[in-house]
Amino acid sequence: MTEISEGNVLLKMTGITKIFPGVTALKNVDFEVKYGEVHALVGENGAGKSTLIKILSGLYRPDGGEMLFEGKKVFFSDTRQAQLCKIAVIYQEFNLIPDLSVAENIFVGREPKTLGRLFINWRKLNAEARKILDRLDINLNPRKFVSDLSVAERQMAEIAKALSLDARLIIMDEPTATLTEKEVVKLFEIINELKKQQVSIIYISHRLEEAFKLSERITVLRDGEKIGTKNTSQTNQDEIVSMMVGKVVKDYFAGEKISEGKKEALLEVKNYTIANHVYDINFKLYKGEILGFAGVLGSGIHHMLRSIYGAAPRTKGEIFFNDKKVLIKNTNDAIKLGIGFVTEDRKGEGILYDMSVMQNLTIVVIKALTFLKGMFVKSAKEKKVFAQASKDLDIKFADLNQRIIFLSGGNQQKVIIGRTLISNCKVLILLEPTRGIDVGAKAEIHRIMRELANKGISIILSSSELAELVNLTDRCLVLYKGKMVAEFNRQNMDEEALVAAQIGQKINQT
Amino acid sequence: MVKFLKLYEKIGIFILIVFAGIFLAIASPNFLKTDTILNIITQGTYGVIVGFGMVLAITSGGFDLSVDAVVGLTSVFLSLLIPNIGIPSAIILSILISCFVGFLNGLIITKFGVNPLITTLSMATIIRGASLLIAKGRQIPISVEKFTVIGTGKLMGVPNPIWIMLVLFILFFLLLNQTPYGRHICAIGSNESAARVSGLNVTFVKIMVYVLVSFTASINGVIRTSQAMIGIPSMAPGFTLLVITITILGGTSLSGGKGNLIGAVFAGIFISMIYYGLNLIGVQYFYQLLSVGLVLLFALFVDGLRKRYLEAAKIKGIKV
Amino acid sequence: MEDYRLRKTKQKFGAFWGNFGLPLIFIIMFAIFAISTPSFRSTYNFLNNLSFSSYVGIAAIGMTFVIMTGNFDISIGSMLSLVAVLGSSFIPKIGGAVGIISALLIACILGFLNGIFVTKLRIPAFITTLGMLFVFRALAFIYTNNVPVYISDRFWLYFGNGKLFDVIPFPILLMGVCYGAAYLLLRRSPVGRYIIAVGTNPRAAALSGINVDNIKILVFTLLGLFVGISAVTNSANLGSANPGLMGQDFEFQVITAVVLGGTALSGGNGSLGGSFIAALIVTFLNNGMGLMQVNSYWQMVATGLVMIFAVSLNKLKFFLLGQGEF
């Protein structure tokens, strides 16, 4: 690359700030991308990467700062304007139309026409598509329907579409998460090809080695702030990892560990396989232990835990509860056994938004709080149960008939945890329990988890926040692409080791 | 099994027609005559023509329950207009009025965001009431003899309705598969938000879809009125079900994005064959109604089982 | 923060509308008819109207449950007719009382069938019930050969014409009982909670151990039951069960009532009280227009417009309350 001068900077963001109610997602972030550069953007979940990307693509409007694109000041109030500026984003969930062919998708809305501009000129359409695919050396039949493509092929089609729109800047968000190794190699070739054509790329990935393989520069974000930008050739993975992790905030109630002697397996999972998600997973969960699961997108952890709870099917595998083999066909079976589940998608499948705080809490046990053989709800009993649980968990609400959507995220989460606890649960599965809630509530939920574990409840915690896992769990299992790759205990667990393991790096366990 | 199901999805309707054909050929000596076959196809065209419109609606992810009301509306306007302004102008004007109904449907669906079913169901009631009002509740005979040619005449020995169906088939086939507009219908039915992001004018495409459905319904109204030579406000009771059955049996996916016009043609002929068979036994109209309902439920039933099987196969790790 | 004040005003209006809008519409409509048409004013006409509104009103209970779970059923008009002709034709053999029970049982089975199609085969409700609409109607025709079944059993007839203390028509009483039972079911029983939970967020309900399919089958069956009750009272009032005429546009009136009553077509918590008042509005509107000698064809146009109006109104309400996009 030539020297750094104002001339070869494609995008320059200065002082970008974005504030959400209660959280500052980005604080005064400077970021720039040069022509034909691959610029990697790294950071843990919640570091602010996706917020920055959403500002760039016009989905969010920044609360402060300015953007220069090709030397001109720009302001995007919607995605359309970003597209006009030749910025393309390749999202995880693709913006392709499954029932159209690859060529049609590339040119949708801009099809070449023939016969008095009435009909689609298929020959030209396919030829043009072919040309673009060839430019990137992608071996893909433009006549193929997108619904018949593999994930990798869809991604290539998206890239081709971006290129056909003459994109100057392509943003790739975790592009390799669901690809096989061979496909990753192909993607890298395409990226190098794009680079040669002076297209700039912002590359976001959890997998550091990819960033090192591809990028000219790496920018690290943490907690909404820019930690630094390094020339890739002048840094190493260890430095970047330590920049990502930073200092550990001590707001955790680590509590005492369980002693190694009285280990009693409560739940045992054997040879668990879900086609296309996880393969041959074995693990034991001991009484009163917090067991962590770590893995990046595509690890299959959430799928497996849902399936264990009976909310998703499985291909094969056995579950033992108290050394007895059990068959969990649906969520009700799991609840009866004493397994509780807190989803990662609180809005989508956690809260019952048309119902009150109390009704949300008691929904699982409501059948037991009745008289006349389960005919009618015993109102006084329900209130009593709710009062107890809301005191135990310190849920803050104005009125027990208040609708749950008017509660803060942290309190909603407590209600959902409470839902499982009052149904007498012995095993609690938590997926991302502190996602999207403020720091105070986060610490409280951590305290609650530790207390529950001390009471003898076993907890499975899946979190993408590694500090949470390191500070809270007694053991931690790491899955990578559906396979168990590492196990850590309190002694050998630290964030850097977890980062390395969950992105598939081989490590020596001691 | 997976392969078989994929094959069934493609050619299931042909298998049904072949079976029905063999059965009818054995049951009735008259079945294999040209006249009988042409007659069966002609009977089939009614549903098929409107089926073309419905294919577009369902492909776009929508639905239209107002087609039978539009048939009646066209019929009333024809009977009132023909004596006054002549046949060609009357036909054009009636069709335009019907298209306006479709435009209103599309407008309410896209601009007010009302569910297409509720919109078109309400519109059906409104239009039926309006037709009866305009006709003052009567049936209005048409005395201009020439008008009957459209529905009952023949060209080269083939009844006109079949010609009309063929022309419309070619037009709609080209529209759906060869023009940008048609592909945009598929795009919207397949993934509306992606279509929006890609810069398609979703509102325009959808409104035009409902205009086209009403257009096909009014063509059907013209043919029927010309055969009956009378304007009937409630001309085609139960017709909507027939149209939807033909569309779905013809392989158009209820979830949108995939339209099958050829399938609709064959599904229409298949239903017509069932009618013919029922006539052989000499049962009444109600059995025809029942048979259409049952065919629809059967088609849905098979489709439901197929989906369940494929889902189970996916979990077992079989590539679908 | 002018945005904030505007939003508050909007919310206030939305809340006001949610609580008092429907009764207000009913009172205004009632006043207009009462002033313009003398015959509308009589107690006799009022009780009669109330009695007529029980057909739509009772079925609207079941439809409220079904719409709350995010589905709807357009087969109920035909179901009404089929249940009425089957049940009343059994009377000579098994008597009125057992006849009613068997009618209700048949209605439950028909509703159950709809529920199975929708849940176990995952066919959208509108297309399932569209098919059923024609199947039920055709079966009613075929069973009776299109000849109405005349009802002479006094017990059965009491359901349509009987009067308690010679004043209160029995259908009104029955409607009251049905609404009372439905209220207890929805607001006081665990099953009611499950219905609301499934309606508001089926995925969350499933994670809470609720069998979503079973709840959906249950609400379709309940709708069948309530339609069965309407079939009995309606046929009793007419003195016969006519396979062709009974239940014409019935599904339309019932869905209009429920939507006008404030239950969103997209599912979620519904309003039984709203459905009740809206059922009154729909019936009184038809009757009032009839008394004003409005052409019955205009009435068809009016009911269609009311339906579109009702759906748009709901959207507006949710928009004002800040719970959705307009």
Side-chain angles (χ1 to χ4, degrees), chain A residues 120-162:
Chain A
I120 296 175
N121 186 342
W122 291 102
R123 192 175 302 170
K124 194 163 170 213
L125 177 77
N126 288 325
E128 295 275 322
R130 181 76 273 163
K131 234 188 260 169
I132 287 172
L133 294 169
D134 281 345
R135 244 172 88 190
L136 295 171
D137 199 19
I138 297 172
N139 183 20
L140 189 63
N141 183 354
R143 288 185 178 81
K144 236 178 161 182
F145 281 95
V146 167
S147 54
D148 295 333
L149 300 185
S150 71
V151 179
E153 288 172 323
R154 283 178 198 217
Q155 203 169 45
M156 292 170 192
E158 278 260 28
I159 295 171
K161 186 178 171 181

Side-chain angles (χ1 to χ4, degrees), chain A residues 80 83 94-101 104 108-109 111 113 118-120 122 145 161 274-276 313-315, chain B residues 174-175 177-180 183-184 186-188 190-191 193-195 197-200 256-258 314-317:
Chain A
R80 249 338 216 319
Q83 277 169 17
F94 299 109
N95 264 320
L96 293 175
I97 294 156
D99 289 323
L100 261 48
S101 74
E104 283 181 283
V108 68
E111 299 87 351
K113 298 178 193 81
L118 272 177
F119 297 107
I120 296 175
W122 291 102
F145 281 95
K161 186 178 171 181
I274 307 168
N276 305 321
R314 64 160 179 266
T315 310
Chain B
L174 290 176
L175 180 81
N177 297 304
Q178 299 297 326
T179 67
R183 300 307 293 162
H184 294 169
C186 297
I188 288 169
S190 180
N191 184 347
S193 63
V197 170
S198 305
L200 298 185
K258 274 185 218 145
K314 214 169 166 185
I315 292 156
K316 282 187 199 132

Side-chain angles (χ1 to χ4, degrees), chain B residues 42-301:
Chain B
T42 311
Q43 294 298 319
T45 58
Y46 302 143
V48 172
I49 288 173
V50 190
F52 293 153
M54 194 65 81
V55 167
L56 297 193
I58 295 182
T59 304
S60 79
F63 220 73
D64 194 337
L65 294 176
S66 67
V67 290
D68 52 353
V70 172
V71 171
L73 186 77
T74 311
S75 182
V76 168
F77 271 106
L78 282 173
S79 62
L80 290 174
L81 291 174
I82 286 177
N84 295 322
I85 59 171
I87 296 173
S89 325
I91 291 176
I92 291 170
L93 201 58
S94 308
I95 290 177
L96 280 179
I97 291 165
S98 301
C99 288
F100 182 69
V101 173
F103 173 75
L104 284 182
N105 275 333
L107 202 67
I108 295 170
I109 290 163
T110 52
K111 287 291 169 191
F112 294 174
V114 178
N115 175 324
L117 289 161
I118 294 293
T119 306
T120 54
L121 194 65
S122 310
M123 193 55 83
T125 312
I126 294 171
I127 296 304
R128 228 174 269 137
S131 309
L132 285 161
L133 271 176
I134 294 163
K136 301 200 176 64
R138 294 170 298 136
Q139 303 193 340
I140 307 161
I142 300 168
S143 50
V144 183
E145 282 297 328
K146 267 204 310 220
F147 181 56
T148 190
V149 172
I150 296 174
T152 56
K154 284 185 179 181
L155 188 68
M156 296 189 287
V158 176
N160 285 343
I162 297 184
W163 287 114
I164 296 174
M165 180 187 77
L166 284 176
V167 170
L168 284 178
F169 173 75
I170 293 168
L171 285 179
F172 273 78
F173 189 84
L174 290 176
L175 180 81
L176 187 63
N177 297 304
Q178 299 297 326
T179 67
Y181 173 73
R183 300 307 293 162
H184 294 169
I185 295 176
C186 297
I188 288 169
S190 180
N191 184 347
E192 190 170 329
S193 63
R196 225 178 265 277
V197 170
S198 305
L200 298 185
N201 186 341
V202 175
T203 309
F204 169 76
V205 173
K206 279 192 173 177
I207 290 179
M208 279 309 289
V209 163
Y210 289 95
V211 170
L212 284 168
V213 182
S214 289
F215 170 74
T216 54
S218 70
I219 297 279
N220 177 284
V222 173
I223 296 172
R224 282 181 194 245
T225 312
S226 131
Q227 285 173 339
M229 286 305 274
I230 191 164
I232 308 172
S234 53
M235 187 157 223
F239 182 56
T240 307
L241 175 83
L242 178 72
V243 173
I244 289 169
T245 307
I246 286 173
T247 310
I248 291 168
L249 195 62
T252 294
S253 155
L254 260 182
S255 42
K258 274 185 218 145
N260 191 338
L261 293 162
I262 303 173
V265 174
F266 285 104
I269 293 170
F270 172 68
I271 301 244
S272 190
M273 285 165 94
I274 294 184
Y275 280 6
Y276 178 78
L278 291 171
N279 272 328
L280 285 182
I281 316 166
V283 292
Q284 318 121 307
Y285 164 71
F286 312 123
Y287 283 96
Q288 297 189 355
L289 204 61
L290 181 69
S291 65
V292 180
L294 288 178
V295 167
L296 175 62
L297 289 177
F298 178 75
L300 293 172
F301 182 77

Side-chain angles (χ1 to χ4, degrees), chain A residues 309 311 331-332 335 341 345 347-355 359 362-363 366-367 370 374-377 382 403 419, chain C residues 184-185 187-191 193-194 196-198 200-211 267-270 323:
Chain A
Y309 181 63
T331 54
N332 203 15
I335 291 170
F341 182 86
D345 182 6
K347 282 214 178 69
E349 51 178 29
I351 59 169
L352 299 157
Y353 25 90
D354 265 2
M355 296 170 82
Q359 290 175 341
T362 55
I363 187 76
I366 195 71
K367 230 173 198 160
T370 50
M375 287 264 277
F376 298 109
V377 175
E382 188 185 4
R403 282 176 62 192
R419 200 187 268 169
Chain C
L184 288 177
L185 178 78
R187 304 286 175 213
R188 289 278 172 270
S189 81
V191 177
R193 290 284 173 84
Y194 295 161
I196 303 172
V198 169
T200 181
N201 190 346
R203 286 163 66 201
L207 287 183
S208 302
I210 299 168
N211 189 325
N269 208 342
Q323 291 162 8

Side-chain angles (χ1 to χ4, degrees), chain A residues 209-227:
Chain A
E209 82 272 28
E210 291 177 359
F212 275 88
K213 223 181 247 170
L214 284 171
S215 69
E216 270 75 44
R217 288 190 293 172
I218 300 178
T219 291
V220 181
L221 291 181
R222 191 206 316 142
D223 297 330
E225 282 177 89
K226 180 166 136 177
I227 303 304

